[in-house]
Amino acid sequence: MINIKFLIGIIAGIIGGLSFIPYFRDIFLQKTKPHMYTWLIWSLLQGTSVFIMLYGGAGIGVLPFVVGTVLCGSIFVLSFKYGTKNITLIDTICLIGALIALIFYIFLHDPVASIILVVLIDFIGFIPTFRKSYIEPQTETASTYLVSAISSILAIFALLYYSLITILYPITLILTDMTCWSIIVLRRKNKLI
């Protein structure tokens, strides 16, 4: 008999992977222009969160974040050719702040402090994409953020152990993904009016 958490984890991982398909398609169609700073930060943070969550006993619930790490890294690489060239001082400050915080994380040996730091860095990493989505909503793929949030919700149900270490990152991704999705959808509607 298949363990229900294992099955939910696999489904969450598949949905997480599928959430990127429209984004990749739109990159190659040059409709979406990823912000390289954001995708670099997300690649580093998702990988970091996987290790912290595994340490905390998350089990199969980390699968969507393993998939996300690989796909975020791929988008970061693609952003050199297809990404936005609209990089501002605030974007650079966010990147530097995130990298400094990541360095502090490396030297922390406290998983709770580390996951809190990862969540804060992740939010900082989202700021350039929030800004870009507000100004240029047509350069983002809204469905990726919505489906990614759904994948993170399923990941929570697949966790083998619930603690601040295992649940904080998925909750943060749900909130930031839904915020980004909302910004894109609302700004597109406003631009049509």
Side-chain angles (χ1 to χ4, degrees):
M1 184 170 161
I2 294 180
N3 179 312
I4 190 71
K5 288 193 177 274
F6 180 81
L7 183 60
I8 293 171
I10 296 295
I11 292 169
I14 291 169
I15 290 173
L18 292 175
S19 73
F20 284 87
I21 291 173
Y23 204 90
F24 279 106
R25 179 199 64 218
D26 287 351
I27 288 172
F28 291 118
L29 292 175
Q30 297 184 4
K31 290 169 54 178
T32 291
K33 297 181 185 317
H35 196 289
M36 72 171 48
Y37 290 4
T38 295
W39 290 98
L40 170 61
I41 293 168
W42 289 342
S43 302
L44 296 171
L45 293 179
Q46 285 219 13
T48 303
S49 72
V50 166
F51 288 109
I52 296 170
M53 291 172 69
L54 284 172
Y55 174 82
I60 193 71
V62 302
L63 184 59
F65 310 112
V66 171
V67 171
T69 300
V70 172
L71 296 175
C72 285
S74 300
I75 291 172
F76 167 67
V77 171
L78 289 173
S79 71
F80 284 96
K81 181 174 181 179
Y82 299 102
T84 184
K85 305 303 180 230
N86 180 14
I87 296 174
T88 66
L89 178 61
I90 190 69
D91 298 339
T92 303
I93 291 169
C94 287
L95 176 64
I96 291 168
L99 292 176
I100 289 170
L102 195 57
I103 290 168
F104 279 113
Y105 157 74
I106 291 169
F107 294 104
L108 289 177
H109 297 290
D110 179 349
V112 173
S114 296
I115 200 68
I116 290 170
L117 191 53
V118 164
V119 164
L120 292 173
I121 301 166
D122 191 73
F123 179 76
I124 291 169
F126 241 114
I127 291 171
T129 295
F130 286 155
R131 181 191 61 78
K132 185 175 80 71
S133 297
Y134 185 83
I135 295 168
E136 303 173 281
Q138 72 283 359
T139 67
E140 281 295 332
T141 305
S143 64
T144 295
Y145 296 100
L146 178 62
V147 177
S148 180
I150 293 168
S151 173
S152 294
I153 291 168
L154 289 172
I156 289 172
F157 288 106
L159 294 173
L160 296 180
Y161 180 74
Y162 294 94
S163 69
L164 187 64
I165 296 170
T166 62
I167 202 164
L168 186 59
Y169 189 70
I171 287 173
T172 301
L173 286 184
I174 293 165
L175 295 173
T176 51
D177 281 338
M178 290 306 296
T179 300
C180 197
W181 174 79
S182 298
I183 290 169
I184 296 165
V185 170
L186 293 173
R187 288 294 293 160
R188 284 182 183 168
K189 286 182 181 178
N190 287 343
K191 287 194 176 243
L192 292 175
I193 296 176

